[in-house]
Each structure stands twice: as C-alpha cells, then as structure tokens.
Amino acid sequence: MRALSILSAAVMLVSSVNAGSDPRDCEVCMKVMTDIRDSMPKPDQKDKPKIESAIGSHCANESLSAREKKICYYIDPIKRDVAQPFSLGMTADRLCKRINKNNPEICGVKFPVKTENLEPKDLTKLRVKQLKSILLDRGVECKGCVEKEEFIKKVQETEHLAGSDEF
C-alpha cells in the first residue's frame, strides 16, 4: 500500500513537470537540428567530424531565417559538444535541452507568433504572454497595460509595424 502511494506521487510529479513545459521551448533549435539530421546520409550521422561539417555547411546557408542564424551563432563554437550526443542518435528535443544547460539563450529563441490575417476575435484567443511577445517583436512597449483587452488594443494599433522575421 505504501509503495503504491509513493508510485502514484511520483507519477503525478512527473506529469506535472511535463505539463508545465512550453511547447514552443527550443522550437528553433529543434528545427535546425532536425534539418541537419535530415540533410545527412544515415551512415554519416554517427561520424562526429562529418556532423561538425554538416553543422557548418547548414549554418553557411544564406536562406536561413534570422532566428535560425541566431541558433547557428550559438551552436558554432560548441560544435564538438553538439556532435557527441548527435552521433549517439539523441533526439533533437533532448539534444537542444542538453546544450541549453550550458547556453540558456538557445531555447530562448522562438519563432514569432503569426499575426497576419488575424481578426480581432482571433486575438482574444491568444494568451497575454503571446500578445506581449507580438509587441516585443514589433519593438513596442505597452506601458500601463494590465488587462488583456489593453494588450489586444495595442496589438491592433501597431498592426502597421508587423514586419518580417528580421531582428
């Protein structure tokens, strides 16, 4: 009976930790790592020097978005540290979480919230955190905003500032 209660407490603890994680955590890092893995032949995914060169060639690609280039900027100096777990077949999610321990900025890079073609009723479905990130991407500060409606109004007022993915 005691073992059952300890086991159930452990299960609830693990589920609460997983439920609190943001689904957007490390999204850009995971995309970059998945793209690198997909660009490599299967046998080369175990060879560390080839992984390092694949990281370098992927990051040299001019068609990367600004956020992907930022991840490359963070990953380039630690290619060897990234190549080790990569060669062992670690998933992109776990790999990004591991390198995030040494460099917390890696999981802080997120893709922008899509705001084009949003109607006012769609803005009400967003969380305040997402509304704040939209304003941050636009370079606007909402001083004195407390209620969600105030953030929505500010997002609508600054619609003309919605630009590209550049920093």
Side-chain angles (χ1 to χ4, degrees):
M1 183 68 177
R2 183 179 176 134
L4 183 62
S5 65
I6 292 173
L7 180 64
S8 65
V11 168
M12 289 191 319
L13 178 66
V14 169
S15 65
S16 68
V17 169
N18 289 340
S21 65
D22 186 5
R24 293 183 59 206
D25 263 358
C26 299
E27 65 181 347
V28 180
C29 176
M30 289 189 295
K31 181 185 181 312
V32 169
M33 291 300 150
T34 304
D35 290 347
I36 292 169
R37 182 167 279 135
D38 291 344
S39 71
M40 297 177 67
K42 191 80 170 166
D44 290 351
Q45 292 179 9
K46 304 275 184 208
D47 189 12
K48 292 179 202 168
K50 289 184 180 179
I51 293 169
E52 290 177 29
S53 69
I55 292 171
S57 64
H58 178 78
C59 290
N61 189 351
E62 292 294 321
S63 65
L64 294 177
S65 71
R67 285 166 173 77
E68 290 172 315
K69 287 178 184 175
K70 191 170 189 176
I71 289 294
C72 286
Y73 174 79
Y74 291 139
I75 290 175
D76 191 47
I78 57 171
K79 280 185 204 175
R80 289 184 189 238
D81 296 335
V82 173
Q84 170 61 31
F86 195 101
S87 69
L88 297 174
M90 189 176 281
T91 64
D93 181 35
R94 290 190 60 208
L95 178 62
C96 290
K97 298 262 195 260
R98 175 178 274 188
I99 60 178
N100 187 53
K101 290 178 184 173
N102 296 334
N103 191 349
E105 291 91 12
I106 288 177
C107 285
V109 180
K110 293 179 172 53
F111 286 117
V113 177
K114 301 287 184 205
T115 57
E116 65 272 355
N117 301 328
L118 277 183
E119 295 181 17
K121 65 180 180 181
D122 294 331
L123 288 174
T124 60
K125 295 178 183 176
L126 295 177
R127 295 176 178 224
V128 173
K129 184 176 184 179
Q130 292 171 315
L131 294 169
K132 285 181 181 180
S133 80
I134 291 170
L135 292 173
L136 184 68
D137 287 343
R138 293 178 182 174
V140 177
E141 192 173 333
C142 192
K143 290 189 184 237
C145 294
V146 179
E147 297 294 323
K148 183 175 181 177
E149 290 76 27
E150 295 169 337
F151 285 103
I152 292 171
K153 183 179 176 193
K154 192 71 165 182
V155 167
Q156 290 171 336
E157 289 173 356
T158 60
E159 189 67 39
H160 66 283
L161 297 176
S164 65
D165 189 27
E166 299 302 315
F167 288 96

